[in-house]
């Protein structure tokens, strides 16, 4: 996580945005009166929204937790993938 003030962001917008997108950094823009802003990449934002949606539904959350517990207990199986020709 990186913190910069508004003036520094304005003077270094491209490099700050590159850090956010290329290095997956979260950037906090500090402002007067503690009215700070957080900058994240679109990819990170979309991931966050998907996670909120998935765990926001109680049935989905319970299913994920049950699957996680099964995996941790070794209750799973693996299978070889079957390659299907492109013309099928």
């Amino acid at each position: 996580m990186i913190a910069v003030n508004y003036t520094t962001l304005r003077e270094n917008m491209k490099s700050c945005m590159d850090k956010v997108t290329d290095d997956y950094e979260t950037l906090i823009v500090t402002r007067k009166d503690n009215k700070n802003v957080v900058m994240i990449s679109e990819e990170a934002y979309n991931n966050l929204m998907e996670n909120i949606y998935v765990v926001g539904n109680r049935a989905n959350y319970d299913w994920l937790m049950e699957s996680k517990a099964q995996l941790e207990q070794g209750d799973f199986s693996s299978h070889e993938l079957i390659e299907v020709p492109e013309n099928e």
Side-chain angles (χ1 to χ4, degrees):
M1 189 175 318
I2 301 170
V4 297
N5 62 34
Y6 177 79
T7 303
T8 302
L9 174 65
R10 194 176 59 233
E11 293 169 355
N12 302 287
M13 182 70 77
K14 181 184 179 329
S15 64
C16 287
M17 291 173 128
D18 287 344
K19 273 250 182 251
V20 168
T21 58
D22 299 344
D23 300 339
Y24 301 100
E25 285 285 355
T26 300
L27 181 76
I28 297 177
V29 183
T30 58
R31 301 170 61 207
K32 290 181 181 175
D33 299 325
N34 206 28
K35 293 185 176 184
N36 300 340
V37 174
V38 175
M39 183 186 298
I40 60 174
S41 69
E42 180 181 19
E43 181 181 357
Y45 172 80
N46 289 338
N47 189 332
L48 180 64
M49 291 296 106
E50 181 179 359
N51 286 332
I52 289 170
Y53 172 77
V54 168
V55 300
N57 177 305
R58 187 63 187 188
N60 281 345
Y61 180 80
D62 290 344
W63 178 78
L64 284 171
M65 293 302 102
E66 179 183 344
S67 298
K68 180 178 179 249
Q70 289 172 352
L71 180 63
E72 289 171 344
Q73 295 168 5
D75 186 14
F76 65 91
S77 60
S78 64
H79 306 273
E80 292 292 325
L81 295 177
I82 301 170
E83 195 168 319
V84 177
E86 285 187 35
N87 59 357
E88 286 187 31

